[in-house]
């Protein structure tokens, strides 16, 4: 790995200022580093430079100008910049509307519907709202990104409620699986609960959870997450189900406290409790889901099934990263 690694966002910012902007010759445009790529989310390291990485800029132009601008820019690009080869795809030229529809399945410059929000994967929303806009000459990038920065309040309540439903569905399983001698199953359920609690924590802090490779990195960036992270990590390392349960209960109480401080719904008792008459302690995730949904006023959101966005009922990369498939999934699961 290169010892002189420069983060991709910094490299691309300089590439735009020093190379791409002069080549555009005054053409009205927007320019940004957004979309797919670890550098957009700020997670790239020297390891990232071995493929699909380097100086790159996404240039948005007015309708009818894509081909001409692309040919003009690509024909004059230098062979390298900052010690990295410059390839024509490193300067992508597009109209914003078609680009956004291909990535998200809708154009965020218009009205974003509840179904648009449901069908937009968290990774894609993070890709559009992260990175950096270098120039907004068409006046469309900043407004579109601001509109997608976070869910409308009632959609946020719904997404949080559905995340609590996921926890409620599995919170008794670590103990129950261990009780019948399935320690591996107990550990597996613990891992699933840890993942859901990490995602819930990010959602509570208005952060779109990224895909699995960067979930832990994004979680660690949350201020005040150290103690919760210790409890979740400890639950995964624990040697028996009782210790796992104890550490999960620590995590439950902390996350419940965060929800109550958000003020999105009525306060919910954040103490753990027995799971019916069984010797397993849980938080009772459905209580939090019900409180959140009781605070939803938008009838379109109230009518939704308790399954959430596409990320909350599917984890197939091939389904989520194709906007047409993601929208089909959201439409089918109602």
């Amino acid at each position: 790995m290169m010892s002189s690694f420069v983060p991709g966002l910094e490299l691309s910012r300089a590439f735009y200022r020093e190379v791409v902007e002069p080549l555009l010759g005054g053409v009205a445009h927007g320019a940004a580093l957004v979309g797919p790529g670890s550098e957009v989310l700020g997670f790239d390291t020297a390891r990232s430079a071995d493929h699909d990485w380097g100086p790159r800029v996404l240039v948005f132009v007015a309708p009818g100008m894509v081909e001409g601008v692309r040919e003009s820019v690509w024909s004059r690009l230098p062979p390298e910049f900052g010690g990295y080869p410059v390839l024509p795809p490193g300067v992508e030229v597009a109209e914003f509307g078609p680009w956004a529809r291909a990535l998200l399945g809708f154009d965020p410059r218009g009205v974003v519907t509840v179904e648009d929000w449901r069908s937009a994967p968290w990774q894609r929303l993070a890709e559009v709202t992260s990175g950096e806009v270098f120039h907004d000459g068409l006046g469309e990038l900043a407004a579109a990104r601001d509109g997608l920065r976070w869910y409308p309040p009632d959609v946020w309540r719904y997404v949080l409620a559905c995340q609590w439903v996921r926890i409620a569905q599995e919170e008794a399983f670590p103990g129950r699986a261990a009780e019948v001698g399935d320690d591996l199953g107990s550990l597996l359920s613990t891992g699933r609960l840890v993942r859901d609690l990490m995602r819930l924590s990010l959602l509570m802090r208005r952060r779109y959870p990224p895909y699995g490779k960067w979930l832990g990195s994004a979680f660690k960036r949350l201020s005040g997450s150290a103690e919760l992270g210790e409890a979740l990590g400890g639950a995964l390392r624990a040697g028996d189900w009782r210790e796992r349960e104890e550490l999960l209960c620590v995590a439950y109480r902390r996350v419940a406290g965060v929800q109550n401080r958000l003020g999105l719904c009525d306060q919910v008792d954040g103490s753990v409790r027995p799971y019916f008459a069984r010797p397993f302690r849980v938080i009772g995730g459905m209580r939090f889901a019900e409180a959140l949904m009781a605070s939803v006023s938008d009838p379109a959101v109230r009518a939704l099934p308790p399954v959430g966005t596409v990320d909350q009922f599917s984890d197939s990369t091939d389904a989520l990263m194709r906007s047409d498939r993601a929208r089909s999934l959201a439409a089918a699961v109602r």
Side-chain angles (χ1 to χ4, degrees):
M1 294 189 292
M2 297 181 61
S3 59
S4 58
F5 174 73
V6 176
L9 182 56
E10 181 180 337
L11 180 69
S12 294
R13 184 188 305 119
F15 179 55
Y16 170 70
R17 298 299 181 199
E18 298 176 29
V19 175
V20 178
E21 186 176 27
L23 292 179
L24 289 168
V27 171
H29 68 280
L33 182 65
V34 292
S38 57
E39 66 269 42
V40 173
L41 303 185
F43 294 133
D44 57 324
T45 66
R47 181 71 67 196
S48 308
D50 66 352
H51 73 285
D52 297 334
W53 189 96
R56 65 186 185 93
V57 176
L58 182 55
V59 175
F60 296 107
V61 295
M65 297 188 64
V66 171
E67 293 301 326
V69 172
R70 179 187 292 142
E71 182 179 348
S72 174
V73 171
W74 284 14
S75 65
R76 294 179 290 157
L77 286 173
E80 67 173 39
F81 180 82
Y84 295 94
V86 174
L87 302 175
V91 180
E92 181 182 353
V93 182
E95 294 177 32
F96 181 78
W99 177 86
R101 283 191 291 272
L103 200 72
L104 298 168
F106 60 91
D107 187 339
R109 295 174 301 178
V111 175
V112 181
T113 68
V114 170
E115 284 307 307
D116 289 334
W117 286 115
R118 278 193 73 221
S119 66
W122 292 329
Q123 176 69 26
R124 290 305 196 204
L125 290 167
E127 291 170 352
V128 175
T129 56
S130 299
E132 183 177 323
V133 173
F134 306 135
H135 182 67
D136 194 14
L138 297 177
E140 58 190 6
L141 290 178
R145 280 161 51 93
D146 286 347
L148 294 176
R149 195 72 64 184
W150 196 242
Y151 293 115
D154 274 355
V155 178
W156 186 18
R157 291 181 174 93
Y158 168 72
V159 172
L160 292 178
C162 293
Q163 196 64 18
W164 277 113
V165 170
R166 286 182 57 90
I167 291 167
Q169 291 168 345
E170 201 147 351
E171 56 188 338
F173 290 1
R176 179 59 175 146
E179 187 180 52
V180 297
D182 181 10
D183 194 62
L184 182 59
S186 171
L187 184 58
L188 176 62
S189 288
T190 299
R192 287 170 55 86
L193 285 164
V194 165
R195 180 184 187 228
D196 279 335
L197 286 163
M198 291 170 66
R199 286 176 148 192
L200 178 59
S201 297
L202 285 160
L203 292 165
M204 286 179 168
R205 300 289 289 276
R206 299 167 63 94
R207 302 288 190 277
Y208 295 118
Y211 57 67
K213 178 169 62 172
W214 302 123
L215 180 59
S217 297
F219 176 80
K220 285 197 300 183
R221 289 183 179 180
L222 292 177
S223 62
S225 66
E227 291 186 16
L228 177 57
E230 289 175 5
L232 296 175
L236 293 174
R237 293 188 297 271
D240 65 82
W241 75 268
R242 295 184 189 280
E243 185 180 359
R244 288 174 202 138
E245 180 183 85
E246 180 60 35
L247 289 163
L248 283 173
C249 286
V250 171
Y252 292 146
R253 288 190 289 264
R254 292 191 68 85
V255 175
V258 174
Q259 171 159 317
N260 283 330
R261 290 192 293 273
L262 287 175
L264 291 172
C265 61
D266 290 343
Q267 298 281 296
V268 180
D269 180 4
S271 60
V272 295
R273 61 217 44 235
Y275 184 72
F276 296 97
R278 300 180 182 186
F280 315 127
R281 288 180 299 160
V282 299
I283 189 66
M286 284 304 299
R287 299 181 301 122
F288 296 87
E290 290 166 357
L292 284 159
M293 289 306 297
S295 297
V296 171
S297 59
D298 186 339
V301 178
R302 292 182 65 87
L304 292 173
V307 294
T309 69
V310 288
D311 290 279
Q312 293 174 295
F313 58 78
S314 174
D315 62 1
S316 167
T317 300
D318 288 333
L320 295 176
M321 293 300 98
R322 277 268 304 266
S323 61
D324 57 337
R325 293 171 180 166
R327 291 186 74 83
S328 294
L329 274 173
V333 182
R334 288 195 57 85

